[in-house]
Amino acid sequence: MAGIDLVGYTLMSLSLLCAAPVFSGSRAIRLWLLANGALAPFLFLQLAYPRLIYVGALWLVTFPAAVLQLALWFRGRRAVGHRPRDLARR
């Protein structure tokens, strides 16, 4: 069961790594997304090398920080009345 858990955390970190280029306007968001994505190999390799849990534990800092930055960014976009482009054209 721990293996499935680690694969899930690894894929979540990889998805944040892939999302980082989308937020080119915010350096803080990009930094936290990249930091979380950089942990993906360590999370996956914990299956074979359990001592990597100490490096993988950084996920407890990088993931909440990345999600908090994203929440603040999306909240700010909503607060200024930002609408998606396809709705703005109508």
Side-chain angles (χ1 to χ4, degrees):
M1 193 57 105
I4 294 172
D5 193 40
L6 287 175
V7 170
Y9 285 123
T10 302
L11 291 175
M12 189 164 37
S13 289
L14 287 175
S15 69
L16 292 181
L17 181 66
C18 292
V22 173
F23 297 95
S24 60
S26 175
R27 187 173 182 208
I29 293 175
R30 242 189 7 237
L31 174 75
W32 286 112
L33 293 176
L34 290 172
N36 189 276
L39 293 175
F42 299 103
L43 293 171
F44 185 72
L45 290 174
Q46 282 182 43
L47 293 169
Y49 306 102
R51 288 180 118 359
L52 287 177
I53 194 167
Y54 299 113
V55 179
L58 291 173
W59 185 90
L60 294 169
V61 175
T62 61
F63 183 75
V67 171
L68 178 64
Q69 289 291 322
L70 286 171
L72 293 173
W73 187 81
F74 280 112
R75 181 178 180 164
R77 302 290 278 190
R78 188 189 70 189
V80 296
H82 178 73
R83 296 186 343 201
R85 287 186 198 146
D86 60 340
L87 294 177
R89 291 182 186 164
R90 291 183 183 173

